[in-house]
């Protein structure tokens, strides 16, 4: 296990560096640079003054030099200064990261709450109306882009019905829960949930749709195995057969995919946060790209890649505990 942990740690670091390198190259080949964006509102500045500013910011150095300079700083804990905000990129990202994590986890919770019971029901009621209904739901969920679903939800529930807010974030959910626990009322928690519902559904529906089909398929495979038939033949109650024997084994591929999907949800927030004006790192990243704020883009990518790698790392550990037959060497 220790060898596995060491190997995965080294592999994870290499993956993060590779992702950071590719993004650093791509963001610098976009036409224009930070100086062009900064000086866009100052037509009186000369080209010589622009070149001098580029030299001071280190933008005239080769791309590889700029990349390794950023990596060296990251190793020392210095992730650079945002060219737009003139403050630490790490501080900006850490200020907005909790909002992104909150939206991602809420979306995953919605996806699991929908997918697990629906996947089990459609497996146990194969070829019934419920099964066909679940299939239609899954196809709609997977085939509808989350930004399009988000816009449709805004038009229906915010513009037409006016029952849910279209944008922004209320108190963070932990703050709202703290107010509820300390007896300061439930209004803050309700406001937080109202702001989370639409982006949470828009982001989680695709994951829910995919998982309904996967859980259904996994359950059908397990239900047809000999040991489940034997458990039924012994006269075990159906609840014990399906929960203890069938569902637990069907859960193994589901947990693996959920870990990967959690990373996908994290990436999905980059677009959806802009649709709902959600103050997370996704919205910050898009703004940073428009401003050609290289240090800020690199820091967002570094943090997002690290989170994705950590999630997959934890999934591997959980996988082992769900199925003790799995050994890491």
């Amino acid at each position: 296990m220790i060898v596995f942990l060491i190997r995965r740690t080294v592999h994870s670091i290499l993956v993060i560096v590779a992702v950071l390198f590719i993004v650093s190259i791509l963001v610098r080949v976009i036409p224009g640079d930070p100086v062009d964006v900064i000086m866009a509102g100052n037509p009186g500045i000369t080209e010589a003054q622009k070149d001098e500013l580029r030299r001071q910011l280190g933008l005239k150095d080769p791309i590889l030099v700029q990349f390794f300079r950023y990596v060296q700083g990251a190793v020392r804990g210095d992730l650079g200064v945002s060219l737009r905000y003139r403050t630490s990129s790490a501080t900006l990202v850490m200020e907005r990261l909790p909002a992104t994590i909150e939206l991602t986890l809420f979306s995953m919770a919605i996806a699991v709450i929908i997918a697990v019971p629906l996947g089990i029901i459609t497996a146990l009621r194969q070829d019934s109306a419920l099964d066909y209904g679940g299939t239609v739901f899954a196809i709609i969920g997977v085939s509808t882009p989350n930004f399009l679903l988000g816009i449709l939800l805004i038009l229906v529930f915010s513009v037409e019905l006016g029952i849910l807010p279209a944008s922004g974030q209320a108190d963070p959910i932990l703050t709202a829960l703290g107010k509820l626990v300390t007896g300061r009322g439930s209004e803050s928690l309700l406001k937080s949930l109202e702001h989370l519902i639409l982006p949470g559904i828009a982001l989680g529906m695709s994951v829910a749709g995919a998982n309904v089909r996967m859980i259904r398929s996994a359950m059908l495979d397990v239900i047809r195995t000999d040991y489940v038939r034997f458990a039924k033949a012994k006269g075990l109650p159906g609840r014990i057969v399906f929960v203890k024997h069938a569902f637990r084994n069907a859960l193994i591929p589901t947990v693996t995919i959920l870990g990967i999907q959690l990373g996908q949800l994290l990436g999905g927030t980059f677009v959806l946060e802009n649709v709902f004006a959600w103050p997370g790192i996704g919205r910050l990243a898009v703004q940073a790209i428009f401003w050609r704020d290289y240090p800020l883009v690199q820091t967002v990518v570094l943090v997002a890649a690290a989170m994705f790698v950590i999630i997959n790392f934890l999934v591997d550990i959980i996988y082992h505990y769900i199925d003790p037959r799995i050994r890491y060497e």
Side-chain angles (χ1 to χ4, degrees):
M1 189 69 173
I2 293 176
V3 174
F4 165 75
L5 293 176
I6 294 173
R7 192 169 64 236
R8 280 302 305 267
T9 301
V10 173
H11 178 259
S12 300
I13 292 172
L14 292 176
V15 168
I16 292 173
V17 172
V19 171
L20 184 62
F21 176 74
I22 293 171
V23 173
S24 299
I25 299 296
L26 290 178
V27 77
R28 281 173 172 79
V29 298
I30 299 174
D33 63 16
V35 174
D36 291 328
V37 177
I38 294 171
M39 298 303 174
N42 189 358
I45 194 168
T46 64
E47 288 299 324
Q49 290 171 317
K50 287 184 178 181
D51 284 342
E52 175 58 20
L53 184 56
R54 289 189 181 98
R55 189 190 62 76
Q56 292 177 6
L57 294 174
L59 300 175
K60 295 183 77 66
D61 295 332
I63 292 177
L64 285 179
V65 172
Q66 295 181 47
F67 172 73
F68 284 112
R69 188 162 55 218
Y70 179 83
V71 172
Q72 285 180 340
V75 172
R76 297 193 304 269
D78 178 9
L79 297 179
V81 176
S82 165
L83 301 176
R84 173 76 178 190
Y85 294 100
R86 305 306 302 165
T87 186
S88 167
S89 299
T91 302
L92 290 169
V93 172
M94 289 302 116
E95 286 175 351
R96 290 161 175 78
L97 185 60
T100 296
I101 293 176
E102 180 179 304
L103 178 58
T104 302
L105 294 180
F106 187 79
S107 303
M108 180 55 81
I110 289 178
V112 171
I113 289 172
I114 294 174
V116 171
L118 193 55
I120 294 174
I121 291 171
T122 52
L124 298 180
R125 300 285 185 270
Q126 189 180 9
D127 297 329
S128 68
L130 275 174
D131 188 17
Y132 296 134
T135 301
V136 172
F137 171 83
I139 293 173
I140 292 175
V142 172
S143 60
T144 306
N146 56 26
F147 70 89
L148 176 60
L149 180 59
I151 293 172
L152 293 174
L153 290 174
I154 289 174
L155 291 175
V156 174
F157 292 98
S158 301
V159 177
E160 292 296 328
L161 301 178
I163 57 177
L164 290 171
S167 63
Q169 181 192 28
D171 286 338
I173 201 73
L174 290 179
T175 302
L177 286 172
K179 289 181 179 179
L180 179 66
V181 172
T182 54
R184 284 182 284 172
S186 59
E187 184 178 348
S188 177
L189 181 59
L190 293 176
K191 285 282 185 188
S192 298
L193 292 175
E194 285 178 356
H195 283 79
L196 271 169
I197 287 174
L198 292 187
I201 291 175
L203 192 58
M205 280 298 287
S206 61
V207 173
N211 284 334
V212 166
R213 300 301 295 167
M214 188 182 60
I215 292 173
R216 176 185 180 276
S217 176
M219 282 294 291
L220 287 175
D221 287 342
V222 175
I223 287 172
R224 292 165 181 162
T225 55
D226 291 339
Y227 69 89
V228 170
R229 290 175 181 161
F230 180 69
K232 290 179 182 177
K234 282 199 309 181
L236 289 177
R239 179 177 57 83
I240 294 179
V241 172
F242 289 118
V243 174
K244 186 176 179 181
H245 296 284
F247 180 63
R248 182 171 180 180
N249 286 289
L251 198 61
I252 295 173
T254 305
V255 170
T256 307
I257 296 299
L258 282 178
I260 297 171
Q261 288 173 334
L262 195 57
Q264 291 175 344
L265 284 178
L266 188 65
T269 61
F270 278 55
V271 175
L272 212 62
E273 284 182 1
N274 287 276
V275 175
F276 287 94
W278 189 262
I281 62 170
R283 191 160 185 245
L284 181 66
V286 173
Q287 292 171 340
I289 291 172
F290 282 127
W291 295 329
R292 309 293 190 272
D293 194 338
Y294 300 150
L296 190 52
V297 173
Q298 288 172 309
T299 303
V300 171
V301 171
L302 179 64
V303 171
M307 290 178 64
F308 187 82
V309 167
I310 290 171
I311 289 170
N312 281 277
F313 189 82
L314 293 176
V315 167
D316 284 340
I317 304 297
I318 295 172
Y319 200 68
H320 168 71
Y321 283 102
I322 291 177
D323 188 354
R325 295 172 298 177
I326 296 174
R327 293 285 183 271
Y328 298 114
E329 298 179 354

